Amino acid sequence: MTITRRNFLATAAAGGTAAAAACATLAPAGAEARESHKVPDNAVGLLYDATLCIGCKACMSACKEANDLPLEDTIGEKLWDTPLELSGKTYNVIKVYQSGTMENKDKAENGFAHIKRSCLHCADPSCVSACPVSAMQKRATDGVVTYNKDACIGCRYCVAACPFGVPQFQYDTPKPEIAKCQLCKHRMEQGKYAACAESCPTGATIFGSYAALSAEIDRRRAMKPGEPNLFPRRTPESGDMHEKAAPEYVDYVYGQKDAGGTQVRYLSGVAFDKLALPMGLPERAYAADSETLQHTLYGGMILPVVALAGLVTAAWRGSKDHHDDDEFDMFDHPEGGHK
């Protein structure tokens, strides 16, 4: 019998099917779909209110100083820090939306608005799920997503997995690392908090417990647009307040449910799709789906056994037919192969 590619694949499939049937009988019950992880009870995070942001970029400067990051020159002057997006040298960046005459702040038409880009510290982070060596971890105590450069192997799975495009790989160094905000975890160990929140002069970015920030979000959304209200700086409980007319917020809290929810949330007067944030993300975390699929395929070693059985069966049949017919033509040569 001549072995062709078609025969080889058919034999492998037959062997794999038989192995699958056997594994299905012996394997434990199918894996249940896991739910998205919830925000830890003692979680901390940030609230960024775009209507309070004046684009001063003090938070960017403070982030660079707190994390010992180099300046990033994108205009060739080498005088200022001018990052355009998150990168291997920038954990936090303020960007601007512009429309028409830009006369009106926080308006979609003929207006402008600012947006902060940094790690959102997901409740169920895809980067943590995708990392094969646990270099990315989510702290059980406060939910901060951390990175261990000593464990990292540079596979960049986290870069591909993040739905928000946050982790960045350092391509311009012989010893590259993944660059991302870790919510100034080293400052928290010193009794401090995120430098971006500490430095913001208007309270556009504030740091606090997830619960306290949730209460502050609810308070602001209940405000009547145009009426004077007080807004805290640095933290919800700082006592350092300033007065401002309440803005008209869009009816959406970004990060509340997106991709399973995040510990950094946003309020804005302009729709978030205009602020270059990914919209249409599912409420269920991607990590919940991917891990459910993995556990189903690899539960009881079903997939590896099926693949191995198929290959072994095909190899055995090929060897048997070769000895019986002394004929082998793997590539379907018109001449019928060699003898």
Side-chain angles (χ1 to χ4, degrees):
M1 173 184 177
T2 299
I3 297 182
T4 66
R5 280 174 295 186
R6 181 178 299 174
N7 292 337
F8 180 84
L9 293 175
T11 302
T17 302
C23 287
T25 303
L26 299 175
E32 294 183 2
R34 82 159 174 83
E35 296 300 318
S36 299
H37 294 159
K38 304 300 182 183
V39 172
D41 293 338
N42 296 318
V44 297
L46 298 174
L47 168 60
Y48 173 76
D49 188 334
T51 68
L52 297 178
C53 183
I54 58 175
C56 69
K57 301 187 179 181
C59 59
M60 292 174 56
S61 179
C63 178
K64 289 281 176 108
E65 183 177 355
N67 292 285
D68 195 26
L69 296 172
L71 299 183
E72 186 170 5
D73 176 33
T74 60
I75 59 177
E77 293 186 355
K78 299 187 183 300
L79 295 174
W80 316 101
D81 186 37
T82 56
L84 301 177
E85 215 357 315
L86 299 178
S87 72
K89 299 176 181 177
T90 299
Y91 296 172
N92 172 58
V93 66
I94 297 295
K95 306 181 73 173
V96 63
Y97 161 78
Q98 305 173 69
S99 171
T101 62
M102 295 178 59
E103 296 178 39
N104 307 303
K105 187 178 186 306
D106 301 308
K107 297 297 181 182
E109 299 296 327
N110 291 322
F112 69 98
H114 297 100
I115 190 65
K116 171 183 166 75
R117 287 270 288 139
S118 63
C119 181
L120 277 73
H121 296 273
C122 300
D124 194 349
S126 295
C127 61
V128 172
S129 176
C131 182
V133 293
S134 298
M136 289 285 186
Q137 294 192 357
K138 184 173 180 66
R139 299 202 301 198
T141 52
D142 54 18
V144 174
V145 178
T146 64
Y147 167 70
N148 181 358
K149 65 179 182 180
D150 295 324
C152 181
I153 58 174
C155 67
R156 290 165 288 179
Y157 287 178
C158 59
V159 176
C162 178
F164 303 103
V166 169
Q168 301 291 312
F169 188 73
Q170 297 174 336
Y171 289 96
D172 58 351
T173 173
K175 294 183 178 180
E177 301 174 9
I178 294 295
K180 69 172 289 293
C181 158
Q182 299 185 65
L183 212 58
C184 287
K185 64 171 186 172
H186 60 295
R187 287 170 55 86
M188 284 193 273
E189 293 167 358
Q190 301 167 2
K192 302 177 183 179
Y193 52 91
C196 59
E198 184 180 69
S199 63
C200 183
T202 64
T205 300
I206 58 175
F207 173 91
S209 70
Y210 186 87
L213 294 176
S214 295
E216 181 64 17
I217 289 171
D218 292 341
R219 185 181 77 88
R220 295 187 189 190
R221 297 184 74 196
M223 294 177 180
K224 185 176 180 179
E227 288 190 351
N229 274 275
L230 295 176
F231 295 85
R233 294 183 179 92
R234 298 188 292 279
T235 71
E237 304 89 359
S238 68
D240 181 10
M241 314 285 282
H242 68 99
E243 187 176 288
K244 180 183 179 294
E248 183 176 356
Y249 294 111
V250 295
D251 189 21
Y252 195 86
V253 180
Y254 194 86
Q256 188 68 43
K257 296 181 179 179
D258 305 82
T262 67
Q263 292 173 216
V264 175
R265 289 167 288 176
Y266 295 79
L267 293 174
S268 173
V270 174
F272 289 105
D273 59 346
K274 296 183 181 298
L275 301 180
L277 292 176
M279 295 295 292
L281 299 176
E283 293 185 9
R284 178 175 165 83
Y286 288 110
D289 286 333
S290 63
E291 290 184 17
T292 297
L293 179 62
Q294 290 171 355
H295 295 165
T296 299
L297 292 175
Y298 287 92
M301 293 296 287
I302 291 178
L303 186 60
V305 168
V306 168
L308 179 61
L311 292 174
V312 169
T313 301
W316 177 80
R317 288 287 300 273
S319 175
K320 181 177 182 296
D321 291 339
H322 175 74
H323 288 297
D324 288 347
D325 301 333
D326 192 26
E327 191 173 308
F328 182 79
D329 187 6
M330 176 61 79
F331 298 102
D332 258 345
H333 292 296
E335 296 79 10
H338 63 276
K339 295 186 178 180

